[in-house]
Amino acid sequence: MDSVFDHAIRLGDDALILGQRLSEWCGHAPMLEVDLALANIALDLTGQATLFLALAAEEEGRGRDADALAFRRDVLDFRNCLIVEQPNGDFAQTIARQFLFSNWQELLLAEIAEAPAPALAAIAAKAVKEVRYHVRYASEWVVRLGDGTQESRGRMSDGLDWMWRFVEELFDAVDGAASLRPAWEARIAATLRAAGLERPRPMRPILGGRKGHHSEHLGHLLCEMQFLQRTYPGATW
Amino acid sequence: MRKEWPLWEVFVRTRNGLAHKHAGSVHAADARMALEAARDTYTRRMEGVSLWVVPSASITASDPSEAAALFEPAADKVYRHPTFYSIPDGVKNI
């Protein structure tokens, strides 16, 4: 049976790493409006990470706080799923990642919000409203790109293909998520239908993030994210 | 082909009961996207309860070079301003 700490650290790491990834778009998005939207989503996720990691630190009771968990933990100790650490790629690949992940995250948080662990439930209830918007934003773009030009359609399809191998891990027995699968599949299918896109072909899933077996991408992400606290431990401003 | 998405004017109602006020503009391919962009750009800090977006091209503006003819004649007609009434002390907003 997983403890509150286990749940909180997984939820916190998912949000932290995806928030960091999305913020890489800041100043680089195709339009100012898109730049702002992605930065907003990144900030939502960073806010969720702060709450979940603070709870994890409290549960752990070893004198660490949310910042210590975020900035002074090594790559093998991170428990995020692999999809959130995948590179941004082009805009369509970023949208594919957001679309697949946010749909899962919304279903999961809605369930946790009703669950008997009050501290987790309170954070989930707050976060689920934000994630509902992330789903809406990403789904709109899946339809726009999929139902757009030949170029945008090809890119959207490639983006989904790239991210699809990390879907299985989301439902891999963690947090009781397996029961969310039918609802998730129905949402994904409805949006893909509206976009005129095919469901990617089944592929060999890649697992391991929840055990700390990460892709090489996470180490590079942490280098950048943790640099300041590693170089100047305890620095504040 | 036009490179930029069309421009939309954004109006935000900050509280129920108040009128929508012009907040700025966004670029977007259509009305739905304009609403989302407006939400992200102008209501991030809980500024609004309702949003309108209007294609900028639909707005007919007065010609600045005619400003003198349109607006200045009002300046010396003081009798059009309700400034000759004494306002009771209890009245705050008028």
Side-chain angles (χ1 to χ4, degrees), chain B residues 57-91:
Chain B
S58 304
I59 290 181
T60 309
S62 62
D63 182 348
S65 67
E66 288 178 58
L70 287 173
F71 308 119
E72 263 175 38
D76 59 356
K77 297 183 174 66
V78 286
Y79 48 87
R80 289 188 180 169
H81 298 275
T83 50
F84 300 105
Y85 303 95
S86 52
I87 297 168
D89 290 341
V91 177

Side-chain angles (χ1 to χ4, degrees), chain B:
Chain B
M1 199 177 90
R2 196 181 54 213
K3 271 250 162 76
E4 290 236 305
W5 286 329
L7 199 62
W8 301 72
E9 299 303 321
V10 178
F11 297 82
V12 182
R13 166 184 274 172
T14 49
R15 268 188 295 135
N16 281 324
L18 294 182
H20 286 75
K21 268 200 174 159
H22 187 237
S25 51
V26 294
H27 288 96
D30 59 27
R32 264 181 92 96
M33 192 194 283
L35 263 186
E36 297 211 339
R39 181 262 187 194
D40 285 326
T41 311
Y42 295 108
T43 67
R44 289 186 299 162
R45 299 175 190 90
M46 310 254 313
E47 293 98 330
V49 293
S50 164
L51 278 172
W52 288 350
V53 290
V54 180
S56 304
S58 304
I59 290 181
T60 309
S62 62
D63 182 348
S65 67
E66 288 178 58
L70 287 173
F71 308 119
E72 263 175 38
D76 59 356
K77 297 183 174 66
V78 286
Y79 48 87
R80 289 188 180 169
H81 298 275
T83 50
F84 300 105
Y85 303 95
S86 52
I87 297 168
D89 290 341
V91 177
K92 292 274 192 302
N93 302 304
I94 197 162

Side-chain angles (χ1 to χ4, degrees), chain A residues 39-222:
Chain A
N40 271 343
I41 296 176
L43 282 173
D44 284 347
L45 289 165
T46 306
Q48 294 168 17
T50 309
L51 296 173
F52 279 125
L53 292 181
L55 175 63
E58 196 184 307
E59 287 288 322
E60 185 190 45
R62 280 170 42 197
R64 296 200 282 186
D65 61 5
D67 281 342
L69 288 176
F71 298 120
R72 295 206 291 280
R73 212 163 16 125
D74 281 328
V75 62
L76 294 177
D77 297 325
F78 273 81
R79 290 292 174 270
N80 58 280
C81 54
L82 296 172
I83 194 170
V84 296
E85 69 197 45
Q86 296 310 307
N88 287 336
D90 60 10
F91 180 63
Q93 186 171 313
T94 291
I95 289 297
R97 183 181 62 201
Q98 202 66 41
F99 170 62
L100 300 174
F101 176 80
S102 292
N103 268 297
W104 171 82
Q105 196 196 17
E106 187 196 334
L107 292 167
L108 180 67
L109 290 175
E111 191 160 285
I112 292 174
E114 302 294 322
L120 277 174
I123 303 172
K126 178 182 180 298
V128 76
K129 287 179 227 146
E130 298 168 345
V131 177
R132 216 160 270 151
Y133 184 78
H134 306 169
V135 168
R136 183 183 144 146
Y137 185 83
S139 305
E140 286 258 327
W141 273 111
V142 169
V143 175
R144 277 179 196 286
L145 296 174
D147 193 25
T149 63
Q150 205 177 354
E151 170 82 16
S152 72
R153 183 189 166 75
R155 286 182 182 234
M156 194 62 244
S157 174
D158 289 349
L160 286 165
D161 275 349
W162 170 271
M163 294 297 168
W164 198 255
R165 73 204 73 206
F166 304 106
V167 163
E168 207 63 39
E169 184 186 35
L170 298 176
F171 301 100
D172 188 33
V174 153
D175 291 318
S179 64
L180 305 175
R181 184 121 202 194
W184 184 87
E185 291 284 355
R187 284 159 160 246
I188 300 303
T191 304
L192 291 184
R193 207 176 309 121
L197 288 164
E198 301 278 325
R199 190 177 190 277
R201 276 172 294 108
M203 44 185 98
R204 190 175 67 80
I206 305 180
L207 309 168
R210 303 299 188 195
K211 293 183 189 138
H213 305 159
H214 292 283
S215 61
E216 74 272 28
H217 305 297
L218 184 60
H220 293 284
L221 180 147
L222 293 184

